[in-house]
Amino acid sequence: MLERIKNDATAAVTELLTAAKLKSGDLLVIGCSSSEMVGERIGTHSSVDAAAVLADAVLPLLRQAGVHLAVQCCEHLNRALIMESAVAEQYGYEPVNVVPQPKAGGSFATAVWQRMERPTAVEHIRAHAGLDIGGTLIGMHLREVAVPVRLSVRRIGDAPILCARTRPKFIGGVRAVYDDTKL
């Protein structure tokens, strides 16, 4: 199962980076139920091992692309987000004081916290794209106009995934002209 999670995650994130047209400096939010990845119901069987495999698969891909990661914590931390302190400062996000744990924040948030150089938690962000693993409801952390992204990868482990990218709003009505590169 762990090898499958690694392979699924690598394929999904690689495909999402391209499909969402993410560029260096953009922000990707990932919400993850490690319980769902191992075939259990969300919030019932937190898997530190599955979360560690996921973190080790996605972090190098995002670092190589220059894309910043924000990880949504579980509802016990009001879905706060874990990110590098420098990124929070760059985006003007105010830190809050909490350290995720497997049963309060989630195994994936904990694994990412342990792998970041200077992690911090924040309450609100507006990400350029998102990956929801197992129905964690990341939509509140995306920019206003979210567009579904369908990948060839449908699951990470046993968890269904949903992806989105964002785009600027269309304004101006029928006579407006739009920049096709921002669609």
Side-chain angles (χ1 to χ4, degrees):
M1 174 64 78
L2 296 179
E3 188 67 21
R4 184 171 143 215
I5 289 169
K6 175 185 173 186
N7 293 337
D8 293 346
T10 299
V13 169
T14 300
E15 193 174 336
L16 180 59
L17 287 169
T18 301
K21 300 176 185 168
L22 293 175
K23 59 188 183 312
S24 183
D26 283 352
L27 188 57
L28 173 70
V29 62
I30 298 179
C32 173
S33 168
S34 62
S35 300
E36 291 275 340
M37 284 196 305
V38 298
E40 301 294 336
R41 190 172 52 84
I42 192 169
T44 62
H45 287 81
S46 189
S47 172
V48 172
D49 293 336
V53 166
L54 178 65
D56 290 338
V58 303
L59 281 168
L61 296 171
L62 297 178
R63 285 183 182 132
Q64 182 179 20
V67 172
H68 302 302
L69 176 63
V71 173
Q72 177 182 269
C73 294
C74 69
E75 64 185 295
H76 297 98
L77 296 187
N78 296 327
R79 292 188 172 82
L81 300 120
I82 304 305
M83 62 192 332
E84 287 285 2
S85 294
V87 175
E89 290 169 20
Q90 173 187 334
Y91 278 94
Y93 298 141
E94 186 175 344
V96 293
N97 188 4
V98 70
V99 177
Q101 305 298 308
K103 298 283 187 185
S107 290
F108 184 54
T110 302
V112 169
W113 178 280
Q114 294 167 347
R115 286 157 176 78
M116 286 186 163
E117 289 181 30
R118 285 186 39 237
T120 193
V122 300
E123 287 187 291
H124 307 285
I125 66 167
R126 288 287 172 229
H128 298 91
L131 170 59
D132 186 320
I133 304 169
T136 61
L137 304 175
I138 61 164
M140 68 187 96
H141 303 304
L142 295 172
R143 290 177 170 201
E144 276 190 56
V145 183
V147 179
V149 174
R150 304 283 185 235
L151 304 180
S152 62
V153 179
R154 302 285 186 179
R155 294 181 172 275
I156 294 180
D158 284 344
I161 64 171
L162 294 172
C163 299
R165 64 177 179 85
T166 61
R167 64 160 176 77
K169 295 177 184 180
F170 292 152
I171 63 168
V174 296
R175 292 185 280 180
V177 176
Y178 301 111
D179 181 345
D180 289 344
T181 65
K182 295 181 180 180
L183 299 181

